[in-house]
Amino acid sequence: MKVRLAALSAIVLIFIACNNTGKKKFEVTGIITEAPASEKVYLEEIPANRNIPPQILDTGLMKDGKFSLHTVTGEPTMYRVRIGDNDYAPLMFILNDESKVEVKANWKALTDINSTKVGYTVSSPANQRLNVFFDSVTAFSKKQYELSSKANEIKQSADPKKDSILNIIFTEINKTGADYKAYALHTAQTDQNPVIALNAFGYWSRNISDAEQIDKEFKSLLTRFPAHNGIKQGYDAFKKEYAAFKQKEEIDKNKPGIGKQAPDITMPDVNGKNFSLSSLKGKFVLVDFWASWCGPCRAENPNVVAVYNKYKDKNFTVLGVSLDKDKSKWKQAIADDKLTWNHISDLKFWESSVVPQYGFDAIPYNVLVDPNGTIIATGLRGADLETKLQEVIK
């Protein structure tokens, strides 16, 4: 089964940092040649949740290019050393595979933004392998960028004589991409450090559209590193994301679209009395999904009011279906925005039964139903709404 999980790389392409319960001492020392005489230096833990900024664990002062930073650590984790406070502060990524690691660099190499190398060395074996991996990934990316740039130049020249050259370049781009994926997967399958393995897995998986293949390789990581909490949490996040994707896929598959009958809706109106969409059969009906708390909905309401007033005597009406949960705020918004048509709501917010029934994940959303109950348009906003009504209402 081929699927594309848009958020997958955000889930699995993570620098692991969680549940450090081991309480082992960890020290990072550094020697930076040609460095400024004095700079603040930070040891930071990079959370697995990429929405959380790096957490500062220790700070120090780099004097004459030397520094020493300390923390306590648990399972294999990735940290970073940041030198300075500005947005372009040099960063060095560090693994805790040994209780003490030493970083060496030249300041000019470390701050060279055009370099394709990490610009520093770390004393421990896992850190050395991590640098090799980062450098290799950068090399693959650089090659693909150069090939793509060359292909774009040829396409812009519009010279048919160069079509054969273009085909050769595209073949090389595909080969480079395949080599990149193979390298990342091999690293994920063979490296003995779980942080490196999961990082490599992330680089590989973001280029893969087969969720079952991703699941298989993720389970392989779990088998190899059963005690690693970062991998466990990553897999749990992947499963949740995939389950949500499948649920949305199922909703989209059954989503009533143009040419299909509009599913009937029966909910309480503002007075608590049940009202049904089917009771409006015989008219053109704009089923308008909105809420009092939805800014874009409220901004769109004047447009809906305008078309309602213009076409209400031409066999057209609106049925407002709200995702509100506070009845008083719902009723107040109806009054404030002068929405004089029928309104219904089960007051269940996004748990409302109409969400899966009509398969939408954002509001405002609407469907235009003809007198036979058939959907003839969806998602009409602004001028598009009146244009469609002019087309169908004679």
Side-chain angles (χ1 to χ4, degrees):
M1 180 183 302
K2 300 287 184 181
V3 297
R4 187 62 184 171
L5 304 181
L8 181 61
S9 62
I11 291 174
V12 297
L13 190 56
I14 56 177
F15 297 131
I16 311 161
C18 51
N19 297 335
N20 281 325
T21 57
K23 300 296 183 184
K24 296 178 292 185
K25 292 182 179 180
F26 179 52
E27 180 181 4
V28 181
T29 61
I31 301 175
I32 315 297
T33 59
E34 299 185 80
S38 180
E39 279 281 356
K40 288 190 73 173
V41 60
Y42 303 85
L43 179 63
E44 299 174 328
E45 184 177 10
I46 305 176
N49 184 342
R50 299 302 294 275
N51 294 318
I52 301 174
Q55 307 298 297
I56 296 175
L57 303 176
D58 192 20
T59 61
L61 195 63
M62 181 175 69
K63 288 187 176 182
D64 299 323
K66 296 180 180 181
F67 64 83
S68 180
L69 299 165
H70 304 79
T71 188
V72 292
T73 187
E75 70 177 14
T77 303
M78 183 175 285
Y79 302 89
R80 77 179 191 187
V81 172
R82 175 167 57 91
I83 304 175
D85 293 307
N86 64 63
D87 293 337
Y88 301 99
L91 303 174
M92 297 177 285
F93 295 98
I94 310 293
L95 301 178
N96 60 338
D97 60 319
E98 294 182 353
S99 61
K100 181 177 180 179
V101 296
E102 183 181 55
V103 183
K104 291 183 178 181
N106 174 272
W107 184 256
K108 290 181 180 178
L110 190 61
T111 55
D112 183 2
I113 61 174
N114 296 313
S115 175
T116 58
K117 301 291 184 180
V118 294
Y120 57 89
T121 62
V122 189
S123 59
S124 68
N127 277 292
Q128 291 167 12
R129 297 198 307 275
L130 180 67
N131 282 2
V132 170
F133 177 75
F134 283 157
D135 284 346
S136 299
V137 167
T138 301
F140 279 120
S141 299
K142 181 174 182 289
K143 184 175 181 181
Q144 285 195 305
Y145 174 78
E146 290 172 347
L147 288 168
S148 296
S149 297
K150 190 180 295 184
N152 287 332
E153 287 179 11
I154 294 174
K155 283 193 289 186
Q156 289 174 6
S157 72
D159 185 353
K161 295 179 181 179
K162 295 183 178 180
D163 285 351
S164 59
I165 299 175
L166 197 59
N167 289 334
I168 292 172
I169 293 174
F170 281 139
T171 299
E172 187 62 23
I173 289 174
N174 291 334
K175 181 180 181 302
T176 302
D179 290 345
Y180 165 75
K181 287 188 288 187
Y183 171 73
L185 181 58
H186 176 75
T187 303
Q189 292 174 334
T190 60
D191 200 279
Q192 296 306 304
N193 184 284
V195 184
I196 297 176
L198 185 56
N199 267 271
F201 173 80
Y203 278 99
W204 167 79
S205 65
R206 68 179 181 179
N207 294 285
I208 301 298
S209 59
D210 186 341
E212 292 180 358
Q213 188 180 2
I214 293 172
D215 183 70
K216 176 186 173 183
E217 295 299 334
F218 226 144
K219 286 178 178 175
S220 177
L221 280 178
L222 283 170
T223 300
R224 292 175 58 213
F225 306 106
H228 198 275
N229 289 303
I231 293 177
K232 289 178 184 177
Q233 291 180 6
Y235 185 60
D236 287 344
F238 164 76
K239 287 194 297 183
K240 288 179 182 178
E241 181 71 18
Y242 182 53
F245 176 88
K246 291 299 295 178
Q247 183 181 32
K248 186 177 186 305
E249 186 180 57
E250 190 64 24
I251 290 173
D252 288 346
K253 185 173 68 176
N254 299 316
K255 182 177 182 178
I258 295 173
K260 294 183 178 180
Q261 284 292 113
D264 196 18
I265 306 171
T266 300
M267 288 181 177
D269 63 14
V270 293
N271 298 312
K273 183 180 179 180
N274 279 347
F275 186 90
S276 299
L277 169 62
S278 57
S279 68
L280 299 173
K281 195 167 184 179
K283 292 186 175 184
F284 287 96
V285 183
L286 182 73
V287 185
D288 185 31
F289 301 99
W290 74 295
S292 66
W293 47 261
C294 169
C297 301
R298 303 293 294 273
E300 181 66 16
N301 278 342
N303 181 56
V304 181
V305 169
V307 296
Y308 173 74
N309 290 333
K310 183 173 182 178
Y311 292 96
K312 64 181 180 180
D313 297 324
K314 298 181 180 181
N315 203 37
F316 169 77
T317 191
V318 178
L319 176 62
V321 184
S322 171
L323 298 191
D324 271 286
K325 53 184 177 180
D326 186 313
K327 189 172 183 177
S328 62
K329 291 181 179 179
W330 171 42
K331 293 176 69 174
Q332 189 63 50
I334 292 171
D336 290 346
D337 292 0
K338 299 178 174 58
L339 312 180
T340 57
W341 47 84
N342 289 298
H343 292 271
I344 59 177
S345 178
D346 56 11
L347 298 174
K348 293 183 179 180
F349 196 49
W350 282 104
E351 297 302 315
S352 173
S353 60
V354 296
V355 175
Q357 190 178 26
Y358 275 80
F360 59 90
D361 56 11
I363 52 175
Y365 178 73
N366 58 42
V367 298
L368 182 61
V369 181
D370 74 5
N372 296 315
T374 302
I375 296 173
I376 57 175
T378 63
L380 296 170
R381 296 180 67 177
D384 291 340
L385 175 56
E386 183 166 6
T387 298
K388 186 64 179 180
L389 290 176
Q390 287 175 344
E391 175 190 322
V392 299
I393 298 178
K394 307 300 181 184

